[in-house]
Structures are given as C-alpha cells and as structure tokens.
Amino acid sequence: MENLDSWERKERTRDGAEYVIRPVHRDDVDRERKFIDVLSERTRYERTMGLRHAPSPHRIEELVHVDYKDRMAFVATVGDEGAQRFIGIARYVREGGRGCEFAVVVADEWQGRGIGAALMCSLIGYARAHSIPALDGVILATNSRMVALALRMGMTLRMSESDRTILDAFLSL
Ligand SMILES: CC(C)(COP(=O)(O)OP(=O)(O)OC[C@H]1O[C@@H](n2cnc3c(N)ncnc32)[C@H](O)[C@@H]1OP(=O)(O)O)[C@@H](O)C(=O)NCCC(=O)NCCS
C-alpha cells in the first residue's frame, strides 16, 4: 500500500498565507460538506456548469471515499487538526472506457491566490505517477480564471462541438 503522506505538502498563497495540500481522507465527509455549503452561487455555477442542486449525503461520501487510483482528490486545508477546514479541492475520476475527468474548485475568498494552480500541480503529478494517460474536463468559455489555469497547466482547449459556450480541456500525460 502506497504511503499517501508523501503526497502531503505545506504551501503558501501568493500573498504568504500558509495552507496544506494533502490527499482526501475517509473521515473528511463533514469538511467536504461544509466546504460545498459555503460556496457562492457563481463558484458553484462555474464548477457544475449550471447544475444547482446541493449534493446528497450519499454523493458527498462518494466524493470523499476515493480509491486513490481511478478516483483521486487532493484538498487544500487551513487550521489545526480539530478545526481544520477545506479551502480547495481538485479531483479526477476515471470511469471505465471513458477518459479521466478532472475538476477543481477553490473557496471564494481564497481564489486568485495560487491555490487552484498548486492543487492542479499535485493532481497532475499524482495522475502521472499512477499511469493515468490523460486528463480531460469541461470549462465554461466565460470562466477566464479557469481558462488561464488550464493553459498554464499546459492543457489544450477546444470549443465544444455541441455547445459553443463550453471549452473541452485536454492534457496528455
Ligand atoms: C478556477 C479556479 C479553480 C482557479 O483557482 P484559483 O486558486 O482561483 O486560481 P489561481 O490563483 O491558481 O490562478 C490561476 C490563474 O488564473 C489567473 N487569474 C488569477 N486571478 C484572476 C482573475 N481575477 N481574473 C482572471 N484570471 C485570473 C491567473 O492568470 C492565474 O495564472 P498565473 O498563476 O499564471 O497568474 C477557482 O477560481 C474556482 O474555484 N473557480 C470556481 C469553480 C471553477 O470554475 N472550477 C473549474 C471547473 S473545472
């Protein structure tokens, strides 16, 4: 069994605030729920492409109970053990036959401070180390921050054939 602790690291935002990036744990259900609960309408909209309903308790457990292979998530956290909370999450899911889809979200007050980029670097490094051949995802064309982040990560972006408001992002690993 791989030592997941080696994927944990201390980080600083561009303006110097300390936080930690680590693999998600099975006991993070409550932290995940609280994180999702406080996201703004806009962030939620950009993350889910318009799907507005809150995830069910079962869905939240699914998001946290990853298998560290085909389903993986890194979380950015602040606060000590007892009071730790999430400020960002990046994940990928590989579903049989289909590609490996990524998604990333950072808490509103922490956006634009380098956390999304740091989370994606961890996720991409982990995917590479676990022989994931490529990551793909969908981004609203108006989501300039995610577009900038995807380009910075070396992704190629193409307008979706079925919907011109959406960009298909792809990164070969
Ligand atoms: C998209 C998102 C994950 C990016 O994370 P972040 O921590 O805010 O982004 P970062 O601070 O790491 O910045 C990433 C890039 O965005 C750009 N950026 C930062 N602030 C920006 C702003 N106000 N406007 C436009 N671009 C901006 C920068 O160019 C930066 O690249 P750089 O490091 O080369 O300067 C985050 O903003 C978010 O959660 N948005 C809502 C949910 C979402 O859209 N998820 C994506 C679905 S796949």
Side-chain angles (χ1 to χ4, degrees):
M1 176 73 181
E2 178 179 7
N3 177 15
L4 288 167
D5 291 346
S6 65
W7 289 94
E8 177 166 329
R9 56 199 173 93
K10 284 200 173 126
E11 290 281 352
R12 271 180 197 276
T13 60
R14 275 191 208 121
D15 50 337
E18 284 183 9
Y19 67 100
V20 170
I21 290 186
R22 63 163 173 82
V24 74
H25 297 157
R26 291 189 73 78
D27 62 1
D28 279 330
V29 173
D30 222 37
R31 283 183 274 268
E32 171 98 22
R33 185 180 49 74
K34 284 181 180 150
F35 173 73
I36 294 172
D37 274 356
V38 297
L39 294 176
S40 69
E41 280 278 306
R42 177 171 170 237
T43 290
R44 214 179 282 244
Y45 182 82
E46 287 178 335
R47 164 66 185 86
T48 62
M49 321 278 297
L51 197 74
R52 276 167 192 251
H53 62 79
S56 66
H58 173 69
R59 176 72 184 133
I60 290 179
E61 282 202 13
E62 268 183 2
L63 290 171
V64 169
H65 296 168
V66 298
D67 64 6
Y68 301 102
K69 201 172 116 239
D70 292 332
R71 289 182 299 120
M72 178 58 189
F74 279 93
V75 293
T77 69
V78 288
D80 296 331
E81 195 63 30
Q84 201 182 73
R85 63 191 169 92
F86 288 0
I87 56 170
I89 303 178
R91 65 177 69 251
Y92 69 65
V93 178
R94 175 152 65 166
E95 312 240 42
R98 302 213 336 252
C100 186
E101 190 171 345
F102 76 89
V104 55
V105 59
V106 172
D108 289 79
E109 67 272 30
W110 293 88
Q111 290 176 11
R113 298 163 73 178
I115 297 169
L119 278 167
M120 284 306 293
C121 283
S122 286
L123 192 75
I124 290 166
Y126 192 92
R128 273 207 181 98
H130 290 78
S131 305
I132 301 284
L135 292 177
D136 57 74
V138 283
I139 303 174
L140 284 173
T142 51
N143 188 350
S144 53
R145 200 172 276 180
M146 188 60 219
V147 168
L149 175 53
L151 292 174
R152 182 159 174 228
M153 294 294 121
M155 295 182 178
T156 53
L157 298 178
R158 281 214 339 237
M159 193 183 285
S160 163
E161 281 169 20
S162 55
D163 185 341
R164 296 167 66 89
T165 66
I166 288 174
L167 300 173
D168 293 322
F170 181 81
L171 180 67
S172 175
L173 301 174

